[in-house]
Amino acid sequence: MHPTPPTRAQLRAFPDQFARSARFSRGRPHSFTVSDDGRRVLFLRSVSGTRAPLRLWLYESGAGTERPLTGPGVSAYTADAPARHVVVALPGGGLATLDTDTPAPPRPLTGTRGVEAPRLAPGGARFAFVRHGALHVAPWPGGDDRVRCLLAPEGPEVAYGLPDPVARGEIRREEAYWWAPGGDALLVARTDESGVARRWLGDPAHPERPPRVLRDPAAGTANAVTSLHLVAVDGGGARRVALPARAGAGHPEGAWCAPEFEYLVAAGWDAHGPWASVQSRDQRTVRTLALDPADGSARTLAEEHDPYWVALLPGAPLRTAAGTLVTARVLADGTRGLAAGTATTPEGFEVREVLGARGEEILLRAGTDPAEVHVWAWTPGTAPERLSGPGPGVYEGATGGPTLVIDGLGPRGRTVRVTTGGASGTGAVTAPRTGVLRSLEETPLVLPRPRYLRLGSRALRGALFLPSRHTPGTRLPVLLSPYGGYGLGLVVRARTWWAAVAQWFAEHGFAVLVTDGRGTPGRGAPWEYAIHGDRLTAPLADQADALRAAAEAYPDLDPGRVGIRGWSYGGYLAAAAVLRHPETFHAAVAGAAPADRSLYRTHWEERFLGDPAVLPEGYRASSLLDDAPRLRRPLLLVHGLADENVSPAHMLRLSAALLAAGRPHEVLPLSGAGHGVAGTPLAAALLRHEVRWLGAALGVAVDAPGGSRPAPEA
């Protein structure tokens, strides 16, 4: 059953709601920590669906109740294994401590302004943090006179306990030090960025301000140098871990072969000791190592090779209670699955993330349909058991002891359930109890009405959004709204923010088509490998094929009026569409488009295209700059001038190439904006500008939203 069509007033108000709610993300419970006995669940939640300040909350599974532990303004927290001792990051910097068993408010710690990466030891007796690149440790509950520096940087470009930008951004390794289970030692990453090229990012709207200096290694340039060190809390100096220098036998050859282990992709310290995973520069080998805490030596536990790239799976590797190593594995049919000893997950069962282990039972996010991601329990040698649902959606999870938190976004919104009891992974079985955590997210004023499709010979997953008052037989201009890039699929059976935006555009008289093509996740490794060596041809062909198939299935779609809009990779795809296929695409809005792939970071870009000095043809095939003379359709380039992810240089170089070729286009610079504009007034203004611009380019009277019949006044 479709939702009620929006009124004119709701259509007008939607962009402001979209901006205030930060894409309908505010008010959502997130950042869950479940205590090791399952009694406590800690989480963050903003004060409302439109206000940003966060509070830390405690849910007690026995009572089934939640209560706030802090006032508004907490930015992050860390807890011990029992979730009793907590350190919170305060607004404006600084730390405070609290005990969840007492009603006392957080106790601010003096002298902690400017600290980073606070982390409690599992037992809660100590906590550590980084300040000015030095790793410090303090006993609970802290105090200036009790803080000790464990590791101090040897220079201004060196840091202990902090990930470098590539590790944090592309590898998604947020941590750079790990406590021993007993809290008496740490495994610490040292990062030296002295060899990484500098980039300066200024604000043209404020020329009186000095530019920021960024360490940002572009493809083919030097990475930060990362090493691992073991240090005892009571002193005695640090021991450097003997990490391997390079991959050996079995490493796949290629036109560009770089077997040096430059990337620390994961590490930890569990009941079986410290461990680490390293990846070669060309990303074709990942080796997982057991580390000896006594002498720092390393022993190989597992090694994976891939002729294209070894994909990094969040949460893997890990070891079960018995010590079984669980690693990512590409199965015989191309499915991205798991291996645990000699057992593997089933073919066709695409694993997206490992959430943890309960005894020998492994909790993970996976699915057999790319439009749904569920939480499952898998004991090696048995079939996976689905824990989320029963309806469709995209689900996440967190676990501790016999308690499981499942955060699900379905077609009607979000539900966060806490289940305690049932099978615990240790053999104990108790009657399950289920509670619900409140979500304060805003309900979109424009609710999506998707029609899910499988399009063309490759069964491309698509979602079509039509005006709610569309009269069959009335032709509609088509607006493609893809992301289309590696690592993110938009066609999911859930009420996402992008589906609400697609419906809002549809209500202005467009047929909006969202398609996930080759390179997007959930359809196996070969589907992703299609972008190896060329990041544009296959994804762009899939968007054109999806358009043709949708127009055949829905004759009201007008293939003579086709626009395309997108952000980041989606913006790159939009610009490429009008540059390379003007016969199919007639107007484009390209936001934050990485037009010159050689400007982007090492780990991300070299995965697909290699070293630009060795394989320049892949970078040329994937660049938009040489296509500039081909432009003959309206093109709007949008870019935040404070974007640290996709540099404004991409937009400036493409605009300069278009101008040099005499090709008219428009540029919309967003002063002070980063890679995203969510949660700012710019988000509302940009939506309104886009719909007017696309309406003018494709002949849509956007002042009469609703398609063939205007929506009534509220």
Side-chain angles (χ1 to χ4, degrees):
M1 183 176 180
H2 284 307
T4 303
T7 65
R8 277 183 182 273
Q10 289 171 324
L11 288 175
R12 285 196 296 267
F14 176 85
D16 296 311
Q17 182 197 37
F18 177 73
R20 289 194 308 270
S21 66
R23 298 174 175 170
F24 306 105
S25 66
R26 289 178 177 156
R28 169 193 177 183
H30 62 92
S31 302
F32 301 102
T33 297
V34 185
S35 63
D36 55 3
D37 61 5
R39 294 173 53 196
R40 304 176 181 90
V41 178
L42 298 171
F43 63 95
L44 296 175
R45 183 175 58 206
S46 57
V47 296
S48 76
T50 56
R51 296 177 61 200
L54 295 168
R55 300 176 78 168
L56 178 64
W57 292 77
L58 169 67
Y59 176 87
E60 295 174 293
S61 59
T65 58
E66 61 178 58
R67 61 182 172 90
L69 296 175
T70 69
V74 172
S75 58
Y77 76 95
T78 175
D80 61 0
R84 179 182 174 187
H85 292 169
V86 182
V87 174
V88 295
L90 300 173
L95 303 177
T97 62
L98 61 89
D99 189 321
T100 60
D101 280 351
T102 69
R107 172 180 174 266
L109 297 178
T110 59
T112 58
R113 183 176 295 276
V115 305
E116 300 176 82
R119 195 160 299 123
L120 268 159
R126 300 182 177 94
F127 66 96
F129 60 84
V130 180
R131 179 165 48 200
H132 305 307
L135 182 67
H136 296 75
V137 67
W140 174 270
D144 286 350
D145 58 336
R146 307 172 74 189
V147 175
R148 291 191 301 111
C149 178
L150 283 184
L151 294 168
E154 296 81 3
E157 305 296 335
V158 175
Y160 285 94
L162 294 177
D164 66 280
V166 168
R168 188 170 54 248
E170 279 65 53
I171 296 173
R172 298 184 181 179
R173 175 175 59 79
E174 296 289 340
E175 296 182 342
Y177 69 90
W178 300 267
W179 281 102
D184 56 345
L186 296 119
L187 176 65
V188 184
R190 176 188 184 271
T191 303
D192 182 353
E193 296 186 83
S194 58
V196 179
R198 296 184 182 185
R199 179 161 62 86
W200 284 264
L201 187 63
D203 185 353
H206 293 279
E208 73 281 3
R209 298 176 184 171
R212 285 174 290 154
V213 180
L214 306 176
R215 291 293 192 182
D216 197 28
T221 67
N223 279 311
V225 176
T226 300
S227 56
L228 277 176
H229 304 259
L230 291 155
V231 58
V233 171
D234 58 4
R239 295 181 301 282
R240 181 165 178 164
V241 173
L243 293 176
R246 56 189 286 133
H251 181 74
E253 294 295 323
W256 172 60
C257 188
E260 295 77 19
F261 284 123
E262 292 197 13
Y263 298 115
L264 174 68
V265 295
W269 199 324
D270 57 24
H272 308 285
W275 61 271
S277 285
V278 292
Q279 186 179 43
S280 60
R281 174 72 183 250
D282 60 17
Q283 302 181 49
R284 298 191 191 107
T285 295
V286 168
R287 185 180 297 176
T288 299
L289 307 154
L291 311 178
D292 189 327
D295 60 13
S297 61
R299 173 174 56 89
T300 298
L301 294 175
E303 187 161 295
E304 290 292 323
H305 305 289
D306 193 286
Y308 294 92
W309 66 81
V310 178
L312 305 178
L313 182 68
L318 65 72
R319 288 186 283 199
T320 67
T324 301
L325 182 67
V326 180
T327 59
R329 176 75 57 83
V330 177
L331 306 181
D333 70 339
T335 299
R336 293 203 179 277
L338 291 180
T342 59
T344 62
T345 48
E347 293 186 353
F349 182 74
E350 192 85 4
V351 178
R352 306 292 192 95
E353 180 180 5
V354 178
L355 300 173
R358 301 191 294 191
E360 298 309 295
E361 179 186 72
I362 299 153
L363 297 178
L364 49 88
R365 298 176 65 236
T368 57
D369 181 344
E372 297 186 32
V373 183
H374 285 272
V375 175
W376 302 74
W378 176 57
T379 300
T382 67
E385 176 191 359
R386 198 172 99 175
L387 304 179
S388 57
V394 176
Y395 294 84
E396 301 177 13
T399 187
T403 297
L404 176 64
V405 179
I406 294 184
D407 176 2
L409 183 64
R412 296 188 177 182
R414 185 177 308 280
T415 302
V416 184
R417 290 189 171 90
V418 183
T419 301
T420 300
S424 67
T426 62
V429 178
T430 59
R433 300 185 306 275
T434 300
V436 176
L437 302 183
R438 291 182 300 141
S439 182
L440 308 178
E441 290 166 284
E442 290 272 294
T443 299
L445 292 170
V446 179
L447 292 171
R449 304 157 61 96
R451 304 176 186 212
Y452 294 103
L453 310 172
R454 295 195 180 194
L455 300 165
S457 60
R458 286 183 290 278
L460 300 164
R461 272 36 172 202
L464 181 64
F465 301 82
L466 300 177
S468 56
R469 293 180 174 83
H470 171 64
T471 300
T474 303
R475 300 279 273 175
L476 294 169
V478 187
L479 176 60
L480 275 63
S481 189
Y483 175 72
Y486 183 78
L488 176 62
L490 299 188
V491 182
V492 292
R493 296 183 182 274
R495 196 181 72 191
T496 59
W497 66 263
W498 54 83
V501 168
Q503 189 66 49
W504 182 78
F505 274 94
E507 298 298 343
H508 287 80
F510 299 94
V512 181
L513 181 61
V514 180
T515 304
D516 291 338
R518 282 169 288 178
T520 58
R523 296 191 63 175
W527 184 262
E528 299 171 8
Y529 296 156
I531 61 174
H532 190 256
D534 182 346
R535 300 207 57 195
L536 266 180
T537 301
L540 198 54
D542 287 346
Q543 294 300 315
D545 289 350
L547 171 65
R548 284 189 287 269
E552 290 176 4
Y554 291 86
D556 286 350
L557 274 59
D558 184 357
R561 291 185 296 163
V562 178
I564 181 170
R565 62 180 292 271
W567 195 267
S568 195
Y569 186 91
Y572 169 67
L573 203 56
V578 292
L579 287 168
R580 297 192 176 185
H581 293 286
E583 74 286 355
T584 302
F585 302 97
H586 308 111
V589 176
D596 183 352
R597 306 304 320 193
S598 65
L599 284 177
Y600 207 69
R601 293 188 186 126
T602 50
H603 190 268
W604 188 262
E605 217 56 51
E606 292 172 5
R607 176 185 312 158
F608 313 112
L609 303 178
D611 187 331
V614 180
L615 297 169
E617 60 275 10
Y619 286 84
R620 285 196 298 269
S622 303
S623 172
L624 301 181
L625 303 186
D626 291 344
D627 294 314
R630 303 170 63 178
L631 181 67
R632 53 187 175 92
R633 298 294 191 186
L635 172 62
L636 171 62
L637 303 177
V638 185
H639 216 114
L641 296 183
D643 193 334
E644 295 185 11
N645 184 0
V646 179
S647 168
H650 289 271
M651 178 266 291
L652 295 171
R653 290 186 182 187
L654 179 55
S655 178
L658 291 166
L659 187 64
R663 310 317 300 166
H665 62 286
E666 298 180 43
V667 174
L668 178 60
L670 305 177
S671 179
H675 191 59
V677 296
T680 72
L682 274 176
L686 184 57
L687 276 183
R688 292 187 173 107
H689 185 78
E690 279 191 75
V691 78
R692 287 193 295 266
W693 190 93
L694 287 162
L698 299 176
V700 180
V702 297
D703 291 332
S708 57
R709 289 191 314 221
E713 290 290 349

